[in-house]
Amino acid sequence: MHLTVFDPTTIAPALLRVEDPLSLRIEESFLNATATREQMMYDGWLIRWNNGHMLRTRCVNALGPGQGTLDARLGFCARWYARHGMKTTVRISPFSQPIELDAALALRGFEAVDDRRMMAADLSHPPEMPDTGLHFELVDRERFAREIGRRLGVPEQYSESNVAQLLQLPMDAMPLLAMHRRRCVGGVLVVLDDTLAGIYDLVVDPNTRGLGIGRSLLASAMGAAVAHGAQHAVLQVAASNTPARNLYCQYGFQDRFAYWYRRAPDNFAG
């Protein structure tokens, strides 16, 4: 997987330190929706080592300050990930503990990669559905995961992990496929978590981009969320994905906070 290296000091300070209840609830919901069977807690850190292609399911989330030293926890993680053939990767968000974690990892040679934004929209005024002639099907989770995997070109070994993760997702979920003349041209997953609706895996077939399918998928997801009592829709997107971010802003989404990952150097042993 290619991950873009970047400098976190370029991120607006307002996206780095947030304390409002909604942002904290969004972070909790994100962790719930991306839960995997291959995870455990160690000294305040949530460690995940799923074999899928998504970095969020094979990284450390530093949820608490812990009792031991930072080096002791990193050493444990290095040994654990090496055991599973993975590189130690730590997700950094405004809620990471301790608060100086990002700087401490940088001093140890961890690269900052995959700059992302968590965005949210108020659903008190849901958008109208654009007329694109699409038909939306609510399908089972396994079919959705396989269809989206094919659209993304995900290798088979990763696709199986993605299917397994979606099947064990604890919350209610609505997997939607966009169909045009009986052909799947995109999809989106809506995960319900109390008054929040997480929008994940919004994918458009590369051969049909530019036809408004992404808009239709987003509007459909937001409408489904409202129908099930959600008050806010949330999603995450690469900070550099300007076309997607512009689309989301048109539908009322605004940045809530930034997050990224710190990837260990090749020779890191803790």
Side-chain angles (χ1 to χ4, degrees):
M1 175 187 295
H2 174 72
L3 296 172
T4 302
V5 178
F6 78 104
D7 180 3
T9 63
T10 61
I11 300 174
L15 299 177
L16 299 177
R17 288 285 167 249
V18 296
E19 299 178 353
D20 62 288
L22 178 58
S23 292
L24 177 58
R25 184 69 190 92
I26 289 171
E27 173 74 353
E28 292 175 344
S29 182
F30 174 78
L31 293 176
N32 289 339
T34 57
T36 177
R37 184 175 59 183
E38 299 86 1
Q39 67 177 43
M40 66 179 179
M41 291 295 298
Y42 177 79
D43 198 15
W45 284 9
L46 174 62
I47 302 173
R48 292 174 167 174
W49 64 96
N50 181 266
N51 194 38
H53 76 288
M54 294 178 290
L55 198 55
R56 63 198 184 206
T57 64
R58 47 188 180 89
C59 68
V60 176
N61 284 275
L63 304 182
Q67 300 297 316
T69 66
L70 176 59
D71 285 329
R73 278 174 284 170
L74 288 174
F76 175 86
C77 291
R79 294 188 297 274
W80 188 261
Y81 281 110
R83 174 179 172 181
H84 294 278
M86 300 178 184
K87 181 177 290 190
T88 302
T89 304
V90 181
R91 179 172 173 264
I92 301 293
S93 80
F95 312 101
S96 298
Q97 295 289 331
I99 59 174
E100 66 273 10
L101 179 60
D102 185 63
L105 293 176
L107 288 174
R108 289 164 173 79
F110 281 60
E111 289 183 318
V113 298
D114 202 19
D115 182 19
R116 305 191 73 81
R117 297 292 177 271
M118 193 71 76
M119 305 182 74
D122 189 324
L123 291 176
S124 56
H125 300 288
E128 295 183 0
M129 277 290 297
D131 184 12
T132 55
L134 295 176
H135 169 65
F136 292 91
E137 290 187 11
L138 180 64
V139 299
D140 64 77
R141 297 182 182 192
E142 181 172 358
R143 180 185 171 190
F144 176 85
R146 296 192 186 283
E147 288 281 3
I148 296 304
R150 281 193 284 269
R151 297 297 172 276
L152 290 174
V154 175
E156 187 63 27
Q157 69 269 27
Y158 292 150
S159 180
E160 290 303 317
S161 295
N162 295 341
V163 169
Q165 183 197 2
L166 188 53
L167 288 176
Q168 60 88 47
L169 182 68
M171 290 96 77
D172 291 334
M174 292 180 288
L176 299 171
L177 294 180
M179 310 298 293
H180 181 65
R181 297 178 180 176
R182 298 185 179 181
R183 176 173 174 266
C184 177
V185 293
V188 63
L189 176 67
V190 182
V191 178
L192 301 170
D193 190 349
D194 195 22
T195 59
L196 293 181
I199 297 177
Y200 295 89
D201 298 331
L202 197 162
V203 174
V204 176
D205 189 307
N207 297 318
T208 58
R209 287 176 181 164
L211 301 179
I213 295 173
R215 291 178 179 274
S216 294
L217 284 167
L218 184 58
S220 178
M222 296 174 74
V226 171
H228 285 77
Q231 298 175 7
H232 290 89
V234 299
L235 52 79
Q236 46 84 35
V237 61
S240 60
N241 191 345
T242 302
R245 286 172 53 76
N246 288 341
L247 170 62
Y248 300 151
C249 287
Q250 291 172 23
Y251 279 77
F253 284 85
Q254 297 179 336
D255 288 343
R256 298 298 303 195
F257 57 85
Y259 74 88
W260 61 96
Y261 299 87
R262 283 283 181 179
R263 183 175 56 183
D266 291 336
N267 60 350
F268 182 74

